[in-house]
Amino acid sequence: MKILPTSSAMLNRILIGMAIVGQLLITNGVFSASVPTVNPSAEKVRGAYNAEWDKTLEAAKKEGKVMIYSSPSGDVIRPVAKAFEEKYGIKVEWIVARGEEQTQRMQAEKTAGIRVADAIIAGGTTTLTVMKPRGLLGNLESVLMLPEVTDPQAWITKGLPWADKDHTSMVMLATFQRYILRNTDLVQPNEITSYKDLLNPKWKGKIVMNDPRVTGAGNAFITMLATDLWGVDGAKDFLRQLVKQEPAITRDRRLQVEWVARGKYSLSLATALASAVEFINLAAPVAFCKVKEGGKIGPGQGGLSIPDKPAHPNASKIFVNWLLTKEGQAIFSKSNGSPGVRKDVPREGIPAQMYPDPGEVFFGDTEESILFRDEVTKISKEILAPLFK
């Protein structure tokens, strides 16, 4: 078939007709599903957010740096700092110190009218029982900007994982803590299936325990007994009977595991999880005991707060928001070797021991249980006194 050339006038009539038909089809909804629509109010909100973020980022770059007070070691913070610096060009500095040392430093700085810190990464006990009551913490919720962060569905907690009702602290890790570690050559799996099995006379002089008189796994363990399992009287009774077993008390978390691995002690109570996993991964003869009472899921040293007056407020805001994104949390979780609280944080590289097994009982931290740890400190000092005469 031969195609004849179309005249200019005819071509115009065809194009006009096609345009009319197309408009009729769109008007009648035939193509409506494929036509993108714009929500003016949503675009307005997005535009305002982008403008605020860009303004804050520009000011943060002028401030030049962000200072982190960190309980986790430099090995944990270093990859976080590197990624943030590469992404935003803002220098990250950090000071590693225990929670008590952080508090003393911040209190001294506030008294002297000096501001140094921009963000605080620490365990929940110190931040909520000491820093917060002293007015050292700011409102973390007020600086959250990124939709990826403020979306309640992004978190396994089905809402932002606040550690306290005033939203001064947020939980970034969800680590499952089993409290009893055994030497696999000296203790069989079925010998310890309850915390009360530790009271069997055969274990007298064969238990090493993390000191419950100070912040740490030992204090958290006794708190769980008192607030989640047996009540205060039950926890006191257990501790009194445990004293009769003459446990060794230590604050050295790594040495506690090493003693069990070497067979100096058969059992470790209130073991620091990270230290235990380190030895397990080295194929040392140690393993966790699974007990019917269960364990605790907590943030470990993964609580995030800001000071009441950050030294670099804009850099602080940018850092906090980025750290709570999928990117920031994936790096923080991996460097900690602990599960993250975001749903989209990958599990690769996280030891399986950090997660509860199906059907395994566990309890979560609450602000009330954390605040009760001060009382546990007093109880432990009184009951354990005979061991230190």
Side-chain angles (χ1 to χ4, degrees):
M1 181 177 66
K2 186 177 181 180
I3 300 177
L4 299 175
T6 305
S7 69
S8 176
M10 183 179 293
L11 180 60
N12 285 338
R13 286 196 296 272
I14 292 172
L15 292 173
I16 291 171
M18 289 175 65
I20 293 172
V21 171
Q23 185 61 49
L24 287 172
L25 290 171
I26 293 172
T27 301
N28 287 291
V30 176
F31 294 149
S32 60
S34 62
V35 177
T37 59
V38 176
N39 183 334
S41 65
E43 287 296 311
K44 187 175 181 181
V45 170
R46 189 177 298 110
Y49 149 71
N50 287 332
E52 182 185 2
W53 178 261
D54 291 343
K55 181 180 178 181
T56 304
L57 181 57
E58 182 181 358
K61 289 182 176 181
K62 290 179 180 178
E63 290 172 348
K65 75 173 184 180
V66 60
M67 172 62 81
I68 314 303
Y69 281 10
S70 172
S71 290
S73 70
D75 290 339
V76 172
I77 298 300
R78 193 170 291 108
V80 173
K82 183 175 183 292
F84 182 77
E85 288 179 357
E86 290 176 351
K87 188 176 183 72
Y88 294 110
I90 300 170
K91 184 176 178 58
V92 179
E93 296 180 359
W94 66 86
I95 296 174
V96 174
R98 291 175 63 91
E100 297 90 339
E101 295 168 345
Q102 289 181 1
T103 302
Q104 293 169 6
R105 181 185 293 270
M106 292 173 64
Q107 185 68 69
E109 290 165 354
K110 183 174 183 178
T111 301
I114 301 170
R115 299 294 176 173
V116 179
D118 294 304
I120 304 151
I121 301 175
T125 302
T126 302
T127 53
L128 297 186
T129 64
V130 184
M131 291 183 184
K132 181 181 174 182
R134 293 187 185 183
L136 298 175
L137 302 183
N139 183 277
L140 183 60
E141 186 174 28
S142 66
V143 303
L144 300 185
M145 300 172 62
L146 293 176
E148 180 183 351
V149 172
T150 58
D151 178 9
Q153 299 305 313
W155 307 90
I156 62 174
T157 47
K158 300 179 181 179
L160 273 67
W162 297 112
D164 67 322
K165 60 181 182 298
D166 299 309
H167 297 179
T168 65
S169 185
M170 204 166 176
V171 173
M172 296 188 289
L173 300 175
T175 302
F176 181 57
Q177 174 74 62
R178 297 181 183 90
Y179 285 110
I180 303 177
L181 190 75
R182 65 185 174 91
N183 180 295
T184 54
D185 296 328
L186 303 175
V187 184
Q188 297 305 307
N190 60 353
E191 290 189 90
I192 304 292
T193 59
S194 167
Y195 293 123
K196 293 184 178 180
D197 288 338
L198 296 172
L199 305 179
N200 188 319
K202 72 182 291 185
W203 305 122
K204 185 173 182 177
K206 298 179 180 179
I207 301 171
V208 57
M209 180 182 185
N210 183 272
D211 194 344
R213 301 171 301 167
V214 295
T215 299
N219 188 279
F221 170 67
I222 302 301
T223 300
M224 182 188 72
L225 299 185
T227 59
D228 298 313
L229 287 173
W230 303 330
V232 177
D233 290 340
K236 286 182 177 179
D237 183 61
F238 174 83
L239 200 53
R240 289 191 188 99
Q241 294 184 63
L242 187 64
V243 168
K244 297 177 183 178
Q245 296 289 73
E246 300 178 0
I249 306 296
T250 182
R251 298 180 185 181
D252 190 318
R253 293 172 290 189
R254 195 177 191 281
L255 186 60
Q256 182 179 357
V257 181
E258 185 178 326
W259 280 343
V260 175
R262 290 182 174 181
K264 181 176 181 178
Y265 295 94
S266 301
L267 295 161
S268 169
L269 177 58
T271 312
L273 184 61
S275 298
V277 170
E278 178 188 351
F279 276 78
I280 290 172
N281 290 340
L282 291 172
V286 294
F288 285 108
C289 297
K290 296 180 182 179
V291 299
K292 63 182 181 182
E293 294 92 349
K296 194 87 170 179
I297 282 189
Q301 295 181 326
L304 176 66
S305 305
I306 57 172
D308 59 323
K309 291 183 180 179
H312 309 93
N314 295 289
S316 171
K317 187 180 291 187
I318 296 296
F319 176 78
V320 163
N321 277 271
W322 172 81
L323 183 59
L324 294 172
T325 63
K326 176 184 177 181
E327 179 184 18
Q329 286 294 283
I331 297 169
F332 184 71
S333 173
K334 184 176 181 180
S335 65
N336 265 282
S338 298
V341 182
R342 285 190 65 97
K343 292 178 180 178
D344 49 13
V345 171
R347 286 193 173 196
E348 287 79 11
I350 309 299
Q353 297 92 344
M354 298 288 188
Y355 298 91
D357 291 335
E360 199 164 5
V361 177
F362 60 85
F363 303 94
D365 265 334
T366 65
E367 185 173 8
E368 290 73 21
S369 67
I370 290 173
L371 293 174
F372 189 72
R373 290 179 186 175
D374 275 347
E375 183 63 24
V376 167
T377 297
K378 298 174 185 176
I379 292 170
S380 299
K381 286 180 178 179
E382 176 186 347
I383 296 177
L384 295 179
L387 296 176
F388 298 94
K389 288 182 177 179

